[in-house]
Amino acid sequence: MTDLNKIAEGYITAWNESDAGRRAELLKTTFTEDVSYRDPIMQGDGHEGVAALIDGVQQRFAGFRFSLKGTPDGFADKIRFSWNLGPEGVPSVIEGTDIGVIENGRLKSVTGFLDKVPAQ
């Protein structure tokens, strides 16, 4: 049986990792080689594409950290989990929910939804 908590925690850990070498290893264990990521404002394919997205988010939101919100759930080959993004120790600035397809214990695709974004 797939450990949904482990998959969601690996995902969050990868998005928080600032060291490119360590992040590359996390991407290998968390995502399939042909992973596809899509949300309303960005998209990327493969480990390099997801790594570039993570770099962009870390640059734009320097000092912010992702954390899981609630408990992941899912069925068959699907996972759903929510997350927070913001400076540690204060309420989150951005929140979202991601839906993933799991293949052999790793994420093959992720579709992200933004549930809370700052006013422009």
Side-chain angles (χ1 to χ4, degrees):
M1 183 172 187
T2 301
D3 185 340
L4 300 177
N5 288 316
K6 182 179 177 184
I7 291 171
E9 288 167 4
Y11 177 91
I12 296 296
T13 301
W15 279 86
N16 283 331
E17 182 55 62
S18 59
D19 180 87
R22 287 193 302 261
R23 185 184 322 123
E25 289 304 312
L26 289 166
L27 292 174
K28 287 178 187 176
T29 60
T30 305
F31 300 96
T32 62
E33 291 288 328
D34 61 344
V35 64
S36 169
Y37 178 93
R38 303 286 183 271
D39 74 23
I41 56 176
M42 59 187 190
Q43 62 184 31
D45 295 305
H47 292 171
E48 288 182 12
V50 173
L53 297 178
I54 293 171
D55 281 335
V57 169
Q58 288 183 1
Q59 288 175 20
R60 182 168 182 196
F61 300 103
F64 283 29
R65 303 286 292 171
F66 283 91
S67 62
L68 280 177
K69 179 180 177 182
T71 303
D73 68 347
F75 63 93
D77 65 345
K78 307 293 187 290
I79 183 173
R80 174 180 65 175
F81 57 92
S82 296
W83 47 265
N84 301 302
L85 176 63
E88 288 189 68
V90 300
S92 59
V93 176
I94 302 169
E95 297 177 4
T97 299
D98 290 353
I99 309 294
V101 175
I102 301 166
E103 182 178 272
N104 297 321
R106 297 186 296 163
L107 290 164
K108 182 171 180 61
S109 71
V110 177
T111 303
F113 296 86
L114 300 174
D115 302 328
K116 173 185 170 184
V117 293
Q120 295 287 338

